[in-house]
Amino acid sequence: MKVIASSIRKGNIIERDDGQLYVVLTAESFHPGKGTPTTQIDMRRLSDGVKTTDRYKTTEQVERAYVEDSNFSYLYQDADGYTFMNGENFDQVIVPPAVIGDQAIYLQEGMNCVLSMFNGVAVAIQLPARVTLEVVETEPAMKGQTASSSYKPAKLSNGARAMVPPHISPGTRIVVQTEDGSYVERAKD
């Protein structure tokens, strides 16, 4: 669907002339005192993550792609990619590793995720904000260390590394943010 460039907002997905899909990172409109108003759009290509910037006249037409967000649960990983199942109609979708990126390490069997679908193909994924993991190994706590700002490295059950407070020991379950892998709190279960 064609829309004018000045109506594009952050998070929209647009289709450029090359047929590729791009997610909008920022969209700014400039109105100089003399000359034509323009809209500058910073975007990232969904297929490989390359960032580009385009400038359009504010009245120029841009192709906006409509993406459908659906809830899926993660099943398993194989050579083809990551398999997800739609809970409503039980359709299975294989998502290539490039779409999931660095977040793949936090996927757990049965985890509910939101997949953004375009023409039946997954173009983006949203994992839950937090995930609970077990600490596999960490350094022992040093005596006299203050608990205020001293963190120590820990290896988690999924292979990821996180910085944890000194009172966390191996076997402890902790909550980690999937966005950046940072420690949130000790798990309450």
Side-chain angles (χ1 to χ4, degrees), residues 74 100 102-109 111 127-128 131 133 156 158 160-162 176-182:
Y74 174 64
I100 297 174
D102 298 339
Q103 295 181 318
I105 198 163
Y106 297 109
L107 281 174
Q108 296 174 347
E109 200 172 303
M111 178 184 275
L127 295 183
V131 65
L133 297 165
L156 306 176
N158 64 351
R161 295 197 171 275
V176 175
Q177 284 197 324
T178 55
E179 193 175 306
D180 58 2
S182 63

Side-chain angles (χ1 to χ4, degrees), residues 108 111 130-134 157 173-176 186-189:
Q108 296 174 347
M111 178 184 275
R130 298 173 174 186
V131 65
T132 303
L133 297 165
E134 187 175 329
S157 57
R173 291 175 52 80
I174 62 169
V175 178
V176 175
R186 197 180 218 155
K188 292 178 173 55
D189 54 2

Side-chain angles (χ1 to χ4, degrees), residues 17-135:
D17 299 334
D18 59 4
Q20 295 277 343
L21 293 176
Y22 292 79
V23 63
V24 175
L25 303 173
T26 60
E28 286 184 274
S29 292
F30 297 103
H31 300 281
K34 183 178 178 187
T36 312
T38 58
T39 299
Q40 180 173 321
I41 300 175
D42 293 336
M43 52 195 150
R44 186 182 332 110
R45 192 172 354 179
L46 288 172
S47 59
D48 56 8
V50 173
K51 288 183 181 177
T52 58
T53 301
D54 273 357
R55 252 196 192 130
Y56 299 98
K57 292 178 185 166
T58 52
T59 55
E60 235 180 295
Q61 299 284 309
V62 179
E63 186 68 37
R64 183 170 168 204
Y66 276 97
V67 179
E68 185 183 338
D69 287 346
S70 301
N71 290 320
F72 283 80
S73 61
Y74 174 64
L75 296 177
Y76 60 89
Q77 177 192 4
D78 59 12
D80 299 330
Y82 299 88
T83 305
F84 291 84
M85 182 178 69
N86 187 327
E88 296 168 11
N89 57 14
F90 304 109
D91 286 347
Q92 290 191 5
V93 176
I94 295 175
V95 180
V99 172
I100 297 174
D102 298 339
Q103 295 181 318
I105 198 163
Y106 297 109
L107 281 174
Q108 296 174 347
E109 200 172 303
M111 178 184 275
N112 290 322
C113 305
V114 176
L115 288 179
S116 300
M117 307 292 283
F118 178 75
N119 291 344
V121 177
V123 292
I125 185 171
Q126 282 180 301
L127 295 183
R130 298 173 174 186
V131 65
T132 303
L133 297 165
E134 187 175 329
V135 175

Side-chain angles (χ1 to χ4, degrees), residues 139-167:
E139 298 168 7
M142 302 279 273
K143 275 196 171 179
Q145 244 184 349
T146 59
S148 59
S149 65
S150 58
Y151 279 75
K152 59 184 183 178
K155 188 174 181 184
L156 306 176
S157 57
N158 64 351
R161 295 197 171 275
M163 296 299 283
V164 298
H167 64 83

